[in-house]
């Protein structure tokens, strides 16, 4: 499973890990029914604590994207729906804007201007 | 790897195989003939096994000793010959060196054991009176390894022809320069895991039996069985990680031991399919420089080293792992 992390992301680690796994599912790098590598392997590869990864996995389960099954590990249940996919893109946009000093309402103004 | 060697490349191969078979026969004859001149000066049966104290504790007839030494040698030689006759194995310099090392080691070890055994029994009336054997046995083991090492160095010459690399199209992974990418995958085999556990449990039972005073071999047997069990467990599950630091393979449920291959040592990576029937079973297969870590048949990640060697690991999602490694290798800043 291919994961990408933003090197300058100011968000807490567990949110970054959540976003990375969600992006992998959205992009189809890992398909519904596929099993995720064990949390410890993910943690080792990303250089974070295993608990951080577990927290992300639980969050994604609560979003309905992952399924935990006893003895079978964690597998992908479904892709994020359009709204969830859009939501994560908007969140990326807001983070990018914040990095350049734009506040959310200024982004909203910009969107209104363009639409 | 089922392509038969070309007519041009087959001559050195035939020569190597002929020499290996001749060597096998020569050593076998030496094993059978060497003790015969001393026949009249040996007790019957003669001491063939020594306890931890260095005193003899087991005996066999001379014929049985010769048969035992021959079986040991032929087993080693057969393994080497089987590996040598496999496909294009002999086109690799390192493979030839390892095979020669194995053949020299096996010959030195079996001949050394036989010579030491005969020498200890020489001129004794009963096998119980045979000379104690301590330093000699160590000497044989060390000398055999030294001979193997010399064989390895002596045979490490000649042409080296790495297997052809498939053309790998550059896959666009959509990597942003501002993002770091890692690829994580793992593969496990429940049957291998079960076998490893069973062997470990057997080792535990043997250890307990030894504690409660079962005959002496139970202790060493428990140790050997435990090592075998751990070896099987270590290839029952494997985690493979690729990232800016290169490739990392963690063996066993604890992901330890682990093996790292820095990017600077990797030339290219690709994915292919391989099955246990092609590589000779499960686990670590083949010789260093042309090895396969086979956990289950199917998708495999292959890494070609800059040194010409390669490593193949059966792992899920290998295509993405290979694509990431290639992307990292072609990145301007690495």
């Amino acid at each position: 499973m291919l994961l990408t992390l933003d090197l300058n992301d100011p968000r807490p680690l567990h949110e970054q890990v959540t976003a990375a796994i969600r992006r992998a599912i959205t992009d189809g790098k890992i398909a519904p029914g596929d099993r995720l590598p064990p949390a410890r392997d993910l943690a080792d590869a990303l250089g974070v604590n295993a608990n951080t990864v577990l927290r992300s996995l639980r969050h994604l389960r609560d979003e309905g994207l992952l399924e935990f099954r006893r003895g079978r590990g964690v597998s992908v249940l479904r892709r994020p729906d359009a709204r969830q996919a859009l939501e994560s893109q908007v969140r990326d946009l807001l983070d990018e804007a914040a990095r350049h000093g734009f506040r959310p309402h200024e982004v909203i103004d910009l969107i209104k201007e363009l639409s | 790897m089922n392509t038969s060697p070309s007519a041009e490349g087959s001559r050195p191969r035939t020569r190597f195989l002929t020499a290996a078979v001749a060597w096998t026969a020569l050593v076998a004859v030496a094993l059978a003939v060497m003790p015969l001149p001393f026949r009249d000066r040996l007790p019957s049966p003669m001491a063939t096994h020594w306890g931890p104290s260095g005193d003899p504790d087991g005996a066999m007839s001379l014929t049985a000793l010769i048969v035992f030494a021959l079986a040991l040698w032929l087993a080693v030689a057969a393994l080497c010959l089987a590996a040598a006759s496999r496909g294009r194995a002999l086109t690799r310099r390192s493979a030839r060196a390892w095979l020669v090392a194995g053949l020299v080691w096996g010959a030195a070890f079996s001949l050394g054991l036989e010579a030491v055994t005969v020498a200890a029994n020489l001129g004794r009336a009963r096998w119980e009176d045979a000379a104690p054997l301590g330093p000699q046995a160590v000497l044989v083991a060390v000398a055999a390894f030294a001979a193997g090492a010399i064989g390895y160095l002596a045979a490490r010459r000649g042409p080296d022809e790495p297997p052809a690399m498939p053309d790998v199209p550059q896959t666009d992974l959509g990597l942003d320069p501002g993002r770091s990418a890692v690829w994580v995958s793992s593969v496990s085999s429940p049957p291998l895991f079960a076998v490893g556990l069973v062997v470990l449990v057997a080792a535990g039972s043997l250890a307990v039996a030894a504690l409660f005073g079962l005959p002496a071999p139970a202790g060493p047997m428990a140790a050997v069985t435990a090592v075998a069990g751990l070896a099987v467990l270590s290839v029952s599950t494997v985690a493979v990680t690729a990232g800016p630091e290169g490739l990392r393979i963690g063996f066993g449920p604890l992901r330890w031991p682990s093996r790292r291959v820095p990017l600077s040592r990797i030339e290219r990576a690709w994915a292919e399919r391989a099955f246990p029937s092609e590589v000779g079973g499960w686990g670590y297969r083949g010789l260093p420089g042309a090895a396969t870590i086979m956990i289950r048949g199917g998708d495999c990640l292959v890494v070609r080293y800059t040194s010409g060697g390669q490593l193949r690991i059966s792992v899920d999602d290998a295509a993405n792992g290979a694509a990431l490694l290639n992307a990292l290798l072609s990145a301007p800043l690495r």
Side-chain angles (χ1 to χ4, degrees):
Chain A
M1 169 171 167
L2 193 68
L3 293 171
T4 57
L5 277 184
D6 192 333
L7 295 172
N8 310 308
D9 198 328
R11 285 181 291 171
L13 262 182
H14 68 93
E15 283 183 29
Q16 295 183 40
V17 175
T18 310
I21 299 174
R22 194 192 287 116
R23 193 175 308 115
I25 301 174
T26 312
D27 296 352
K29 295 259 161 50
I30 181 160
D34 286 355
R35 224 182 312 168
L36 254 62
R40 201 183 30 161
D41 293 343
L42 289 172
D44 274 355
L46 295 168
V48 301
N49 193 291
N51 287 319
T52 310
V53 173
L54 283 172
R55 192 170 166 185
S56 302
L57 294 181
R58 277 195 297 268
H59 187 91
L60 289 166
R61 176 191 57 185
D62 296 343
E63 279 184 22
L65 302 187
L66 296 181
E67 182 183 30
F68 288 26
R69 267 189 293 174
R70 194 179 292 270
R72 297 229 45 215
V74 180
S75 51
V76 178
L77 197 58
R78 61 172 180 82
R79 286 193 178 190
D81 55 36
R83 193 193 151 81
Q84 277 171 322
L86 203 60
E87 203 178 279
S88 72
Q89 280 175 326
V90 171
R91 196 172 297 135
D92 286 348
L93 174 67
L94 288 175
D95 290 338
E96 180 74 16
R99 226 170 291 152
H100 294 104
F102 291 93
R103 292 163 165 281
H105 67 84
E106 291 170 304
V107 178
I108 294 170
D109 291 344
L110 196 59
I111 291 173
K112 278 183 184 152
E113 240 173 73
L114 289 174
S115 51
Chain B
M1 303 286 152
N2 290 323
T3 46
S4 59
S6 62
E8 208 170 296
S10 75
R11 229 170 298 130
R13 181 174 188 272
T14 318
R15 214 185 308 146
F16 187 99
L17 286 175
T18 315
V21 170
W23 172 251
T24 306
L26 188 72
V27 174
V29 168
L31 282 170
V33 167
M34 187 187 66
L36 295 183
F38 308 103
R39 194 169 212 168
D40 302 334
R41 297 169 58 199
L42 293 171
S44 183
M46 56 190 285
T48 51
H49 194 269
W50 281 258
S53 62
D55 293 323
D57 65 357
M60 275 185 207
S61 69
L62 177 62
T63 320
L65 172 72
I66 291 175
V67 168
F68 178 81
L70 274 176
L72 178 73
W73 162 243
L74 291 178
V76 172
L79 277 178
C80 293
L81 287 174
S85 54
R86 175 182 284 288
R88 297 173 53 84
L90 288 177
T91 56
R92 302 308 315 280
R93 188 189 299 139
S94 65
R96 289 195 304 267
W98 279 108
L99 290 167
V100 169
L103 286 169
V104 172
W105 173 85
F109 190 67
S110 51
L111 282 168
L113 274 191
E114 199 181 69
V116 161
T117 311
V118 167
N121 282 283
L122 208 59
R124 315 277 166 157
R126 294 172 345 147
W127 70 264
E128 288 91 342
D129 299 333
L133 209 62
Q136 292 96 322
V138 177
L139 192 71
V140 166
V142 171
F145 273 110
I150 292 170
Y152 177 87
L153 293 176
R156 210 174 147 73
R157 59 182 72 244
D160 195 23
E161 189 187 307
M165 276 191 282
D167 265 333
V168 199
Q170 194 81 354
T171 333
D172 185 23
L173 290 169
L175 297 181
D176 295 338
R179 290 184 173 281
S180 74
V182 289
W183 173 78
V184 198
S185 188
S186 61
V187 61
S188 30
S189 160
L192 277 180
F193 187 74
V195 168
L197 276 190
V198 166
V199 176
L200 267 193
V201 168
S205 322
L206 275 173
V208 171
L211 278 182
F212 282 93
L214 222 76
M221 262 171 72
V224 170
T225 318
V227 169
L230 290 176
V232 174
L233 273 190
S234 73
V235 290
S236 67
T237 168
V238 165
V240 187
T241 306
E245 276 103 47
L247 186 74
R248 200 182 76 199
I249 308 161
F251 294 94
L254 299 178
R255 305 304 187 221
W256 189 92
S258 75
R259 162 139 195 228
R260 284 165 193 277
V261 184
L263 269 189
S264 56
R265 277 193 55 204
I266 299 176
E267 192 178 332
R268 207 193 300 166
W270 65 92
E272 66 185 24
R273 294 175 72 73
F275 292 87
S277 55
E278 296 165 26
V279 298
W282 288 263
Y284 188 94
R285 295 283 131 183
L287 299 162
T292 302
I293 298 166
M294 177 56 68
I295 315 293
R296 54 109 186 94
D299 222 5
C300 290
L301 174 68
V302 191
V303 179
R304 166 65 58 88
Y305 300 141
T306 45
S307 64
Q310 70 180 43
L311 178 68
R312 183 157 62 163
I313 317 146
S314 66
V315 68
D316 298 338
D317 191 32
N320 272 325
L324 175 61
L325 282 174
N326 290 333
L328 290 167
L329 285 170
S330 64
L333 286 172
R334 67 184 210 217

Short mmCIF file of all heavy atoms in Angstrom, two decimals, chain A residues 36-46 48-55 57 74, chain B residues 184 255:
data_model
loop_
_atom_site.label_atom_id
_atom_site.label_comp_id
_atom_site.label_asym_id
_atom_site.label_seq_id
_atom_site.Cartn_x
_atom_site.Cartn_y
_atom_site.Cartn_z
N LEU A 36 -5.45 -4.14 4.84
CA LEU A 36 -4.39 -3.20 5.14
C LEU A 36 -3.23 -3.95 5.81
O LEU A 36 -3.45 -4.92 6.50
CB LEU A 36 -4.90 -2.14 6.12
CG LEU A 36 -5.17 -0.74 5.56
CD1 LEU A 36 -6.26 -0.83 4.51
CD2 LEU A 36 -5.57 0.21 6.66
N PRO A 37 -1.99 -3.45 5.62
CA PRO A 37 -0.89 -4.06 6.38
C PRO A 37 -1.14 -3.86 7.88
O PRO A 37 -1.85 -2.93 8.27
CB PRO A 37 0.34 -3.28 5.92
CG PRO A 37 -0.07 -2.58 4.68
CD PRO A 37 -1.54 -2.36 4.78
N PRO A 38 -0.56 -4.71 8.72
CA PRO A 38 -0.74 -4.53 10.16
C PRO A 38 -0.34 -3.12 10.60
O PRO A 38 0.59 -2.52 10.04
CB PRO A 38 0.21 -5.56 10.77
CG PRO A 38 0.41 -6.58 9.71
CD PRO A 38 0.27 -5.87 8.40
N ALA A 39 -1.04 -2.59 11.61
CA ALA A 39 -0.81 -1.22 12.07
C ALA A 39 0.66 -1.00 12.41
O ALA A 39 1.22 0.07 12.13
CB ALA A 39 -1.68 -0.94 13.29
N ARG A 40 1.29 -2.02 12.97
CA ARG A 40 2.68 -1.85 13.38
C ARG A 40 3.60 -1.64 12.18
O ARG A 40 4.55 -0.86 12.23
CB ARG A 40 3.12 -3.08 14.17
CG ARG A 40 4.30 -2.86 15.05
CD ARG A 40 4.65 -4.14 15.69
NE ARG A 40 4.26 -5.22 14.78
CZ ARG A 40 4.74 -6.45 14.85
NH1 ARG A 40 5.59 -6.75 15.80
NH2 ARG A 40 4.35 -7.38 14.00
N ASP A 41 3.30 -2.34 11.08
CA ASP A 41 4.12 -2.17 9.87
C ASP A 41 3.92 -0.77 9.30
O ASP A 41 4.87 -0.13 8.85
CB ASP A 41 3.76 -3.21 8.82
CG ASP A 41 4.14 -4.62 9.25
OD1 ASP A 41 4.95 -4.73 10.19
OD2 ASP A 41 3.61 -5.57 8.68
N LEU A 42 2.65 -0.30 9.32
CA LEU A 42 2.37 1.06 8.84
C LEU A 42 3.13 2.07 9.69
O LEU A 42 3.75 3.00 9.18
CB LEU A 42 0.87 1.35 8.91
CG LEU A 42 -0.01 0.62 7.90
CD1 LEU A 42 -1.48 0.85 8.22
CD2 LEU A 42 0.29 1.13 6.50
N ALA A 43 3.08 1.87 11.02
CA ALA A 43 3.74 2.79 11.93
C ALA A 43 5.24 2.83 11.69
O ALA A 43 5.85 3.90 11.63
CB ALA A 43 3.44 2.39 13.38
N ASP A 44 5.83 1.63 11.50
CA ASP A 44 7.27 1.55 11.23
C ASP A 44 7.63 2.32 9.96
O ASP A 44 8.60 3.06 9.91
CB ASP A 44 7.70 0.09 11.05
CG ASP A 44 8.03 -0.57 12.37
OD1 ASP A 44 8.00 0.16 13.39
OD2 ASP A 44 8.29 -1.79 12.38
N ALA A 45 6.81 2.10 8.92
CA ALA A 45 7.13 2.72 7.63
C ALA A 45 6.98 4.23 7.69
O ALA A 45 7.76 4.96 7.08
CB ALA A 45 6.22 2.15 6.56
N LEU A 46 5.96 4.70 8.44
CA LEU A 46 5.72 6.14 8.49
C LEU A 46 6.57 6.81 9.56
O LEU A 46 6.60 8.04 9.65
CB LEU A 46 4.23 6.41 8.78
CG LEU A 46 3.26 5.96 7.67
CD1 LEU A 46 1.83 6.01 8.17
CD2 LEU A 46 3.42 6.85 6.45
N VAL A 48 6.03 6.64 12.83
CA VAL A 48 5.19 7.16 13.92
C VAL A 48 4.89 6.01 14.89
O VAL A 48 5.20 4.85 14.61
CB VAL A 48 3.87 7.75 13.40
CG1 VAL A 48 4.14 8.90 12.43
CG2 VAL A 48 3.01 6.69 12.74
N ASN A 49 4.27 6.39 16.00
CA ASN A 49 3.91 5.40 17.00
C ASN A 49 2.76 4.52 16.52
O ASN A 49 1.88 5.00 15.80
CB ASN A 49 3.50 6.16 18.27
CG ASN A 49 3.41 5.26 19.47
OD1 ASN A 49 2.50 4.42 19.54
ND2 ASN A 49 4.34 5.41 20.38
N ALA A 50 2.75 3.26 16.94
CA ALA A 50 1.67 2.35 16.51
C ALA A 50 0.32 2.85 17.00
O ALA A 50 -0.70 2.67 16.31
CB ALA A 50 1.95 0.95 17.01
N ASN A 51 0.29 3.51 18.17
CA ASN A 51 -0.98 4.02 18.69
C ASN A 51 -1.56 5.12 17.80
O ASN A 51 -2.77 5.25 17.66
CB ASN A 51 -0.80 4.56 20.10
CG ASN A 51 -0.61 3.42 21.09
OD1 ASN A 51 -1.29 2.41 20.98
ND2 ASN A 51 0.34 3.57 22.01
N THR A 52 -0.66 5.91 17.20
CA THR A 52 -1.11 6.96 16.29
C THR A 52 -1.83 6.34 15.10
O THR A 52 -2.91 6.79 14.69
CB THR A 52 0.11 7.76 15.79
OG1 THR A 52 0.88 8.15 16.92
CG2 THR A 52 -0.30 8.97 15.01
N VAL A 53 -1.24 5.26 14.57
CA VAL A 53 -1.86 4.59 13.42
C VAL A 53 -3.19 3.97 13.83
O VAL A 53 -4.19 4.08 13.11
CB VAL A 53 -0.90 3.53 12.84
CG1 VAL A 53 -1.59 2.71 11.78
CG2 VAL A 53 0.33 4.19 12.26
N LEU A 54 -3.21 3.34 15.03
CA LEU A 54 -4.45 2.71 15.49
C LEU A 54 -5.55 3.75 15.63
O LEU A 54 -6.71 3.50 15.28
CB LEU A 54 -4.21 2.01 16.82
CG LEU A 54 -3.47 0.67 16.70
CD1 LEU A 54 -3.10 0.12 18.06
CD2 LEU A 54 -4.33 -0.33 15.93
N ARG A 55 -5.18 4.94 16.12
CA ARG A 55 -6.16 6.01 16.28
C ARG A 55 -6.74 6.40 14.91
O ARG A 55 -7.96 6.56 14.75
CB ARG A 55 -5.46 7.21 16.93
CG ARG A 55 -6.39 8.27 17.41
CD ARG A 55 -5.62 9.27 18.23
NE ARG A 55 -6.43 10.47 18.43
CZ ARG A 55 -5.98 11.55 19.03
NH1 ARG A 55 -4.74 11.58 19.48
NH2 ARG A 55 -6.75 12.59 19.19
N LEU A 57 -6.83 4.49 12.23
CA LEU A 57 -7.63 3.38 11.70
C LEU A 57 -9.02 3.38 12.32
O LEU A 57 -10.02 3.16 11.63
CB LEU A 57 -6.93 2.04 11.97
CG LEU A 57 -5.59 1.81 11.26
CD1 LEU A 57 -5.03 0.44 11.59
CD2 LEU A 57 -5.75 1.96 9.75
N VAL A 74 -7.51 -5.55 9.35
CA VAL A 74 -8.30 -4.41 8.92
C VAL A 74 -8.40 -4.43 7.40
O VAL A 74 -7.39 -4.59 6.73
CB VAL A 74 -7.63 -3.10 9.38
CG1 VAL A 74 -8.44 -1.90 8.93
CG2 VAL A 74 -7.45 -3.10 10.89
N VAL B 184 4.12 0.19 1.94
CA VAL B 184 4.12 -0.82 3.00
C VAL B 184 3.34 -2.02 2.51
O VAL B 184 2.24 -1.87 1.98
CB VAL B 184 3.38 -0.32 4.27
CG1 VAL B 184 3.75 -1.16 5.46
CG2 VAL B 184 3.63 1.13 4.51
N ARG B 255 9.06 -9.01 13.23
CA ARG B 255 9.74 -8.17 12.22
C ARG B 255 11.23 -8.05 12.55
O ARG B 255 11.86 -7.03 12.29
CB ARG B 255 9.13 -6.78 12.12
CG ARG B 255 7.64 -6.77 11.85
CD ARG B 255 7.31 -7.55 10.62
NE ARG B 255 5.89 -7.42 10.25
CZ ARG B 255 5.16 -8.42 9.81
NH1 ARG B 255 5.66 -9.65 9.74
NH2 ARG B 255 3.92 -8.23 9.45
#
